[in-house]
Amino acid sequence: MEHISHTHVEVNGLKLHVAEIGTGPKVVLFLHGFPQIWYTWRYQMIAVAKAGYRAIAYDFRGYGLSDLPAEPEKGGFIDLVEDTIALLDTLGISKAFLVGTDLGSFPAYMIAVLYPERVTSLVSLGVPFRLPGPSDGIDLMPEGFYCKRWQEPGRAEADFGRFDVKTVIKNIYILFSGTKPPTAREDQEIMDMVDPSTPLPPWLSEEDLAVYASLYEKSGFRYPLQVPYRTLGIDCCGITNPKVVAPTLLIMGEKDYALSFPGIADYIKSDKLKHRVPDLETVFVEEGNHFVHEKLPEQVNELMINFLNKHSN
């Protein structure tokens, strides 16, 4: 895709798949979510490279073309933090702009808290500042809420295992594109919430789906179910009053199902968030959903590049 190069970089004993485009000292490092992979940033990587930045996206350990760690069930968010810092070190990058979405926003925020000297500025899509820990709010959701279901050892594995990988990815994209948090009935599994005849969202092509499927066919879902879902409630930072000092842009799709989580809409507008992230700019994208950067790439690219340019001097 438009001169994006691919390589593997050895980090913490694992070979991580790294995609890259652009050159120069100003580096933007993209951190993906689930069921995504480096490819979720295809539009943003090309756009920021054209704007004069070096764009890098990598597959987290256990995802896509990156190695699976020896003991996936012992994995946690701190591994993604350490991998990201080690990747920057290996590539000789002292400081970077961080861009995260979904689960990728957590290591971005954690790096900004634990390694503030490594972060020029931060962009989060769909996730206001929070760190993994017991107050994740999942306990307030119904029993059939997808995160609760996927936290149960073996349940998602059995649910996903009834379908090929492509169907699993398609179903999750359809579910996560809605305005309400995917929540199954008591007698229903998460995959059964999608009618097989439901088409892909119009902004996601069959070719896109085939790319995602081919990458998850390689890695499977073993590590993605561990990180994020089975480690969301584990405090791996131990910081009582965390603060992000880097300039931060929060982009929220107005139709993102995350806005229906208990207390999230109020938290985004709260003094509490402003205290934790003093230099925060929040933008709501009218037709944006959970995949706002894939659905409306031109709008997101413009917001992102304007923000990067403002903080690149």
Side-chain angles (χ1 to χ4, degrees), residues 48-59:
V48 302
K50 287 180 177 177
Y53 295 85
R54 179 183 177 190
I56 300 171
Y58 80 98
D59 295 346

Side-chain angles (χ1 to χ4, degrees), residues 64 164-166 169 210-221:
D164 60 32
V165 169
K166 191 174 183 178
I169 299 295
V211 172
Y212 282 121
S214 69
L215 295 170
Y216 276 96
E217 282 167 0
K218 193 274 183 184
S219 65
F221 298 104

Side-chain angles (χ1 to χ4, degrees), residues 136-142 145 181 258-267:
D136 60 16
I138 290 177
D139 57 319
L140 301 175
M141 301 299 285
F145 177 51
L259 286 173
S260 297
F261 288 6
I264 287 293
D266 290 337
Y267 174 59

Side-chain angles (χ1 to χ4, degrees), residues 96 112 116 119-122 243-249 277-280 307 311:
V119 182
T120 306
S121 68
L122 188 154
K243 188 166 285 190
V244 173
V245 296
T248 300
L249 173 64
V277 191
D279 193 354
L280 174 66
F307 179 76
H311 297 287

Side-chain angles (χ1 to χ4, degrees), residues 9 56 62 70 86 107 115 131 137 169 178 197 200 204 228 230-231 248 265 274:
V9 177
I56 300 171
Y115 301 93
L131 300 178
I169 299 295
S197 65
L200 281 173
L204 190 74
R230 293 170 186 166
T231 50
T248 300
K274 197 68 178 173

Side-chain angles (χ1 to χ4, degrees), residues 102-251:
D102 190 71
L103 88 92
S105 290
F106 289 96
Y109 284 134
M110 291 167 71
I111 291 166
V113 170
L114 298 170
Y115 301 93
E117 73 283 359
R118 307 301 297 267
V119 182
T120 306
S121 68
L122 188 154
V123 180
S124 175
L125 306 181
V127 181
F129 174 75
R130 53 171 286 215
L131 300 178
S135 59
D136 60 16
I138 290 177
D139 57 319
L140 301 175
M141 301 299 285
E143 180 278 331
F145 177 51
Y146 76 97
C147 284
K148 281 190 172 181
R149 290 289 184 86
W150 292 352
Q151 285 179 343
E152 294 181 38
R155 186 157 190 171
E157 289 87 339
D159 186 14
F160 294 0
R162 297 176 297 146
F163 304 92
D164 60 32
V165 169
K166 191 174 183 178
T167 301
V168 173
I169 299 295
K170 176 184 177 182
N171 287 352
I172 296 172
Y173 256 91
I174 289 169
L175 288 170
F176 283 13
S177 295
T179 58
K180 298 296 181 185
T183 304
R185 300 189 311 267
E186 188 176 344
D187 62 347
Q188 184 184 44
E189 296 301 324
I190 299 298
M191 288 293 104
D192 297 326
M193 294 177 64
V194 180
D195 186 312
S197 65
T198 306
L200 281 173
W203 42 266
L204 190 74
S205 70
E206 285 291 341
E207 181 183 358
D208 294 331
L209 178 62
V211 172
Y212 282 121
S214 69
L215 295 170
Y216 276 96
E217 282 167 0
K218 193 274 183 184
S219 65
F221 298 104
R222 190 176 172 189
Y223 194 83
L225 287 170
Q226 174 68 12
V227 184
Y229 298 103
R230 293 170 186 166
T231 50
L232 270 174
I234 299 173
D235 180 358
C236 53
C237 291
I239 296 175
T240 54
N241 187 26
K243 188 166 285 190
V244 173
V245 296
T248 300
L249 173 64
L250 172 63
I251 300 175

